[in-house]
Amino acid sequence: TQAVIDGDGKKVVELVNAALAERSTPRTILADHLIPGMIEVGKLMQEGEYFIPEVLKSAKSMNGALEILEPLLLAAGSRESAGCVIMGTVDGDIHDIGKNLVCMLLKGSGFEVRDVGVSVPVHKFVEAAKLAAKEREGKILLGMSGLITPTLDGMPEVIRAIEEAGLRNRVKIMVGGAPVTKE
């Protein structure tokens, strides 16, 4: 947990491997150590103790652990998905740090994350939502990111296209990025 908080990727991988060698389950390592570390990182950011570089460093250290644990969790069938998330940066914007950070955090919290990339056209978001709706039951979360103000107009376009495709009752939508306000 402390290695994740510190963003010490080498130490996280070393400790995950040691825990596995001592017969800790991948689920226990994830739930009892890695996720609590990232929760603490989130608190530190809220308190103004951590900023994006520290959060990214911690998230990357957690991602190293997930690379080890994910195949083991899948093989054991012990990891039930918390849900499906489609994530992308809106068309015209190639910034992805925030999107990647959110993807890592969601993945680490047990979500199946389908990252559709950067500068994603409206139809690609819709295609990804249609595919997810066909493959699984329940709600689907669609996340859009944008850093530059001119690309924010693409977010309502995606929402309208999701509505027109008849998917709005299945797809919950979240938006984020520096210029996104509560309104």
Side-chain angles (χ1 to χ4, degrees):
T1 302
Q2 190 61 50
V4 169
I5 294 167
D6 294 341
D8 187 344
K10 281 185 177 181
K11 188 74 170 174
V12 170
V13 168
E14 176 186 312
L15 291 169
V16 166
N17 285 326
L20 289 170
E22 293 171 8
R23 303 242 187 262
S24 288
T25 67
R27 182 80 188 138
T28 299
I29 295 167
L30 182 65
D32 295 351
H33 303 288
L34 299 174
I35 292 173
M38 285 309 299
I39 290 169
E40 181 61 25
V41 168
K43 287 179 188 173
L44 289 168
M45 186 173 175
Q46 281 182 328
E47 295 166 0
E49 294 291 320
Y50 271 23
F51 298 95
I52 293 295
E54 291 88 2
V55 175
L56 279 175
K57 195 172 175 189
S58 293
K60 284 183 181 182
S61 71
M62 173 131 171
N63 204 38
L66 291 175
E67 288 177 14
I68 297 167
L69 296 177
E70 248 182 339
L72 300 172
L73 290 164
L74 291 173
S78 64
R79 188 170 187 192
E80 188 174 312
S81 174
C84 178
V85 180
I86 298 159
M87 189 72 77
T89 303
V90 292
D91 199 16
D93 196 334
I94 60 166
H95 298 92
D96 66 353
I97 292 174
K99 173 189 66 71
N100 292 346
L101 178 59
V102 172
C103 286
M104 282 188 259
L105 294 173
L106 289 169
K107 200 175 199 183
S109 296
F111 286 88
E112 170 197 346
V113 177
R114 300 178 184 188
D115 186 348
V116 292
V118 298
S119 195
V120 180
V122 173
H123 73 276
K124 290 281 188 192
F125 279 112
V126 175
E127 287 171 12
K130 283 180 180 178
L131 180 61
K134 188 185 298 184
E135 293 176 350
R136 62 180 8 256
E137 297 292 320
K139 298 286 183 195
I140 297 155
L141 186 61
L142 186 144
M144 291 179 280
S145 174
L147 181 67
I148 54 177
T149 306
T151 63
L152 292 183
D153 293 339
M155 292 178 180
E157 289 178 28
V158 173
I159 295 168
R160 276 191 296 278
I162 292 291
E163 289 169 351
E164 290 169 6
L167 296 168
R168 193 63 180 100
N169 63 331
R170 293 267 324 268
V171 178
K172 297 290 182 186
I173 298 174
M174 67 179 179
V175 297
V180 176
T181 64
K182 188 175 180 178
E183 292 76 27

